[in-house]
Amino acid sequence: NGVEFDRNNASICDNNGKLLFYTNGCAVADSTHNVMPNGYDINKGDFLDLIWGNNCENGYPGQQDITILPDPSNESSYYIVHKPTEYVPENNPSVYLDKLQYTLVDMHENQGLGDVIQKNVIFYNDRILSSYLTSISHSNQKDWWILQPKEKDNCFLSFILNENGIQLSDSICIGPDFMYNSSASGDAKFSPDGTLYAYFNVFDNLLLFDFDRESGLLSNLRQLSIPSDTIFSFSTIEFSPNSRFLYFAITDSLWQLDLHEPELIDGLEFIDSYDGYLDPFPTTFFLSTLAPNCKIYIRPGSGSYSMHVINKPNEKGKACDFQQHSIKLPLPTATGGFPNFPRFRVDEDEVCDPTITSVFDMPVYTRKELAVSPNPTSGIIQIEIPDSRSGYIRVIDIDGRE
């Protein structure tokens, strides 16, 4: 209905994969795609009113700033954990983040479609970085850990969500202080096996920790600088399903890190650079996520119909089969975001299912690379297809004529 959900967004399903509800950071919609009766005014404040025009149709800014977690004390309720943006208009106007809040949804309300029963409850009040909000299940497989870096120091806040709600468990201060422009410039991820936590942006570079799912503590810091000629750029990371490889996308470059190497630098391998494709704007690399089908998807920054795919992320080097703009979307997106899910299936034998080939019983079509030579040419060309499939090939000249 024209409402944007590609900025700050999260969703949750039941154990059978049925959609329960979702949010764009300022409203909560049920499975019938209607806003819940008490579902407006999430992240309510001066920023939403004065800067964002109190217009929830545009979504709420942020990439990794909201998530949804099941309530350990009540199987019918869910915590939406979110970060409001603060705006101070007087003197020197400023925008910053200094709160962590939760909103509680009860699925017993509204004839089983759910409703918001608590809203914008503050559980932490101090300056924090935009993005980097991550969560993973406790080793008891009931409670949840929530990690969030603070601003302007080197501290990671570790919160526990249990039957008593959300409490600060510890503040782990380790490694270098975060750079002044780290906010919203990268992201953080837990490994699928739950043993590692990675924080990355082009200013602080990679901070890789061991993670203890029983205590919620970080330890054994390892650091690595990723080569980049871009001073100011967005960056993203994601683990392979087997937790062996870590992928880095920095605007126009993709790298793979083999974590089995004793020295991190020895495991770093360049995979590909942005090929210049426009759809209609540059399809550079912005945000990545590991999907339930064991592939890693990478979104361009904005205004694009395309997605990039790492088809075999468990494979070393270029065997990972990275295909640029291989997914064609029906509509462009404003900022190219993904839902910020917790790391699910940590204790299951298989963290993903490579046999998934459809979404909502609709097949997913991907673009296949064609080898065309010579190109450009005014004469005969040879086109090599990647496998023996039938189909149609359309050749368009530089003026758009077939």
Side-chain angles (χ1 to χ4, degrees):
N1 296 325
V3 178
E4 294 184 5
F5 281 85
D6 56 348
R7 288 184 175 88
N8 217 359
N9 74 93
S11 59
I12 193 73
C13 297
D14 64 16
N15 291 333
N16 296 317
K18 179 184 176 183
L19 177 66
L20 295 176
F21 64 91
Y22 56 103
T23 175
N24 65 350
C26 55
V28 184
D30 61 30
S31 60
T32 67
H33 313 296
N34 293 304
V35 175
M36 292 179 178
N38 194 35
Y40 280 112
D41 295 334
I42 308 301
N43 284 325
K44 183 71 172 176
D46 285 344
F47 178 85
L48 184 61
D49 292 339
L50 302 177
I51 300 299
W52 218 242
N54 198 25
N55 186 357
C56 198
E57 290 185 356
N58 293 327
Y60 196 78
Q63 300 303 327
Q64 205 179 13
D65 291 316
I66 192 168
T67 195
I68 302 173
L69 299 171
D71 183 354
S73 67
N74 186 343
E75 62 180 14
S76 71
S77 64
Y78 296 84
Y79 281 82
I80 304 175
V81 180
H82 50 100
K83 298 185 280 185
T85 300
E86 301 296 330
Y87 171 62
V88 178
E90 59 270 6
N91 299 327
N92 295 317
S94 59
V95 174
Y96 55 89
L97 283 76
D98 68 348
K99 292 181 182 67
L100 279 164
Q101 299 178 334
Y102 72 80
T103 291
L104 197 61
V105 174
D106 190 340
M107 293 306 298
H108 281 163
E109 299 292 323
N110 192 26
Q111 299 179 330
L113 291 175
D115 198 7
V116 173
I117 59 173
Q118 294 185 53
K119 190 186 305 181
N120 300 327
V121 180
I122 300 172
F123 65 90
Y124 181 79
N125 201 336
D126 201 358
R127 296 286 280 265
I128 53 177
L129 292 178
S130 177
S131 295
Y132 312 104
L133 177 66
T134 50
S135 51
I136 193 171
S137 61
H138 190 286
S139 59
N140 63 19
Q141 302 182 37
K142 178 182 178 182
D143 303 329
W144 296 89
W145 292 111
I146 304 166
L147 260 66
Q148 170 63 49
K150 293 181 66 178
E151 186 186 74
K152 296 181 180 179
D153 57 22
N154 63 347
C155 297
F156 294 84
L157 303 168
S158 179
F159 299 89
I160 182 73
L161 168 59
N162 56 26
E163 60 184 7
N164 298 315
I166 304 177
Q167 306 92 33
L168 179 63
S169 175
D170 213 326
S171 180
I172 307 103
C173 301
I174 184 173
D177 287 350
F178 305 130
M179 295 286 286
Y180 72 95
N181 44 9
S182 300
S183 201
S185 63
D187 57 19
K189 299 287 174 64
F190 287 106
S191 60
D193 65 5
T195 64
L196 299 171
Y197 171 85
Y199 164 99
F200 178 71
N201 61 61
V202 294
F203 309 105
D204 299 322
N205 279 287
L206 173 67
L207 305 179
L208 181 67
F209 303 88
D210 291 346
F211 181 70
D212 188 330
R213 289 176 58 215
E214 183 174 358
S215 67
L217 297 180
L218 302 172
S219 62
N220 188 26
L221 170 63
R222 285 144 287 168
Q223 298 178 244
L224 179 67
S225 296
I226 308 300
S228 176
D229 296 329
T230 307
I231 298 176
F232 296 101
S233 62
F234 294 103
S235 51
T236 182
I237 54 173
E238 184 57 285
F239 284 91
S240 60
N242 62 5
S243 299
R244 173 178 173 177
F245 300 109
L246 187 59
Y247 290 88
F248 305 82
I250 310 175
T251 303
D252 59 359
S253 301
L254 178 67
W255 302 79
Q256 182 197 72
L257 180 64
D258 187 350
L259 300 176
H260 281 188
E261 292 289 342
E263 298 294 331
L264 290 183
I265 189 62
D266 294 334
L268 188 64
E269 182 171 350
F270 180 72
I271 300 299
D272 205 357
S273 59
Y274 165 54
D275 62 7
Y277 186 74
L278 304 177
D279 192 23
F281 300 105
T283 57
T284 50
F285 313 144
F286 179 60
L287 201 66
S288 61
T289 191
L290 175 62
N293 64 354
C294 301
K295 298 182 180 185
I296 293 176
Y297 293 88
I298 302 175
R299 296 288 296 272
S302 64
S304 173
Y305 290 85
S306 297
M307 273 200 302
H308 316 295
V309 184
I310 303 174
N311 288 295
K312 302 174 182 178
N314 281 344
E315 299 296 326
K316 186 174 175 58
K318 295 194 176 183
C320 70
D321 188 19
F322 175 57
Q323 299 290 336
Q324 298 196 44
H325 44 86
S326 66
I327 298 290
K328 192 74 171 180
L329 303 174
L331 295 170
T333 60
T335 58
F338 284 115
N340 184 25
F341 291 110
R343 190 63 88 185
F344 287 121
R345 306 183 185 92
V346 180
D347 295 298
E348 297 183 16
D349 292 336
E350 301 294 336
V351 299
C352 54
D353 182 2
T355 66
I356 296 174
T357 57
S358 66
V359 178
F360 302 122
D361 297 323
M362 298 173 60
V364 176
Y365 297 100
T366 62
R367 183 182 63 86
K368 296 293 184 178
E369 292 287 351
L370 300 177
V372 181
S373 63
N375 184 25
T377 181
S378 58
I380 295 174
I381 61 173
Q382 177 173 311
I383 302 175
E384 180 182 347
I385 61 175
D387 46 35
S388 54
R389 296 185 182 185
S390 62
Y392 297 93
I393 293 178
R394 297 173 63 222
V395 180
I396 310 295
D397 69 12
I398 197 170
D399 297 318
R401 296 184 298 251
E402 184 171 354

